Amino acid sequence: MRETGSKSSSMSPCAACKLLRRRCAKDCVFAPYFPSDEPQKFANVHKVFGASNVNKMLQDLPLEQRGDAVSSMVYEANARVRDPIYGCVGAISSLQQQVAILKSQLAVAQAEIVQLRVCQNNLSHLVMNGMILNGSATATPTTTTITTGTASSSPDNISHSG
């Protein structure tokens, strides 16, 4: 019996050989990257790049780089199927526009935060210096004396000294 992952004539052919209707050899260059249970993966790559070109590209690369190359080809092929004109570039452009919009929104939010902090600091400073009385700010600190004993709140009952 052979190791798992290797292809033999008794095993299911890889997605590439299945689509191309050929026998999957045990040294098939597609088998490690296009398993039989993911037929659409190779179908899109074949549609965009062609099986012969993919075969040449993979054979020209060292084994350790083939997996990354296949991932890139699959990504580009899927993007081309979704957007035949722009492919990956369309997706990248869309994402860049979203980033620009989000940066702008972030800048506005940060400016609002700065403005609110300045207002809060000014308000805190005025309160600490005793400059806020009866809900309004005054230019100079004053003391207020309220006389009690009457229910009316006429200006005669409040005296200001300053």
Side-chain angles (χ1 to χ4, degrees), residues 76 79-80 82-93:
E76 175 65 29
R80 285 277 170 199
R82 281 190 308 274
D83 184 353
I85 305 296
Y86 295 109
C88 286
V89 174
I92 291 168
S93 176

Side-chain angles (χ1 to χ4, degrees), residues 55-98:
N55 186 21
K56 287 176 193 171
M57 282 188 266
L58 291 177
Q59 287 182 348
D60 288 345
L61 288 172
L63 281 173
E64 62 273 3
Q65 293 179 355
R66 291 180 183 179
D68 291 336
V70 168
S71 293
S72 294
M73 285 187 271
V74 168
Y75 186 84
E76 175 65 29
N78 290 338
R80 285 277 170 199
V81 167
R82 281 190 308 274
D83 184 353
I85 305 296
Y86 295 109
C88 286
V89 174
I92 291 168
S93 176
S94 174
L95 291 171
Q96 286 175 333
Q97 288 175 351
Q98 288 177 19

Side-chain angles (χ1 to χ4, degrees), residues 15-16 19-20 30 34 38-47 51:
L19 183 78
L20 299 172
F30 299 119
F34 300 104
E38 297 179 34
Q40 196 59 43
K41 186 175 172 181
F42 181 75
N44 287 346
V45 170
H46 174 57
K47 184 176 183 179

Side-chain angles (χ1 to χ4, degrees), residues 124-135:
S124 295
H125 181 69
L126 290 173
V127 168
M128 295 298 283
N129 289 330
M131 300 182 101
I132 301 229
L133 300 171
N134 298 330

